[in-house]
Amino acid sequence: MASRPPENWRAYMAETAREVAAGTLPPECASVADLYPESLLRATDTALEAFEDEVRALREPSDDAVFGTVERVVLALNAISRDKQHGGPHFCTEEREQLCEYVYLTLSENGVDIDALAASRGIDPAAITDRWRDW
């Protein structure tokens, strides 16, 4: 099962904190915790959990149904990234890559043929989130 990106972000913050405490990173690196406020992590987890549930519920879905699940999670993540309560915008290059990979892996792990899905729309498989994504 694909690990949710917030798990990676939490691990990164914890490792950075350990390295700062051990003196192997300078103290100014301690501000990494500001990159991923807990409200952002929780909101992202919630959106991805809803996506997982929706994908697992798909049974022999049409391409439109699969793209509908992708659209809903991407729009939810757009709103989370922009939300000022999380100090947004938050999803930049590294986060974007992790989130897109997560969507791709989650679909694949649930039997969706990403190459065929993308081909049905004439797009590159790596671009299945692009139509809706603003992060």
Side-chain angles (χ1 to χ4, degrees), residues 58 61-70 103-104 107-108 112-125 127-129 132:
L58 295 172
S62 66
D63 291 346
D64 287 342
V66 176
F67 273 111
T69 64
V70 173
V103 167
Y104 186 98
L107 291 171
S108 292
V112 175
D113 181 339
I114 302 295
D115 291 332
L117 179 70
S120 76
R121 298 287 167 95
I123 60 175
D124 185 271
I128 63 171
T129 62
W132 307 281

Side-chain angles (χ1 to χ4, degrees), residues 52-129:
E52 292 165 9
D53 292 344
E54 192 171 349
V55 170
R56 277 193 297 269
L58 295 172
R59 298 288 178 252
E60 298 182 32
S62 66
D63 291 346
D64 287 342
V66 176
F67 273 111
T69 64
V70 173
E71 177 181 10
R72 284 184 286 284
V73 73
V74 170
L75 294 177
L77 292 168
N78 287 347
I80 292 165
S81 184
R82 288 190 306 263
D83 193 328
K84 298 289 187 226
Q85 78 171 343
H86 311 307
H90 270 285
F91 303 141
C92 299
T93 302
E94 184 173 333
E95 294 83 6
R96 179 189 70 235
E97 290 172 1
Q98 289 181 32
L99 289 164
C100 290
E101 179 71 10
Y102 175 81
V103 167
Y104 186 98
L105 287 173
T106 300
L107 291 171
S108 292
E109 289 172 355
N110 286 277
V112 175
D113 181 339
I114 302 295
D115 291 332
L117 179 70
S120 76
R121 298 287 167 95
I123 60 175
D124 185 271
I128 63 171
T129 62

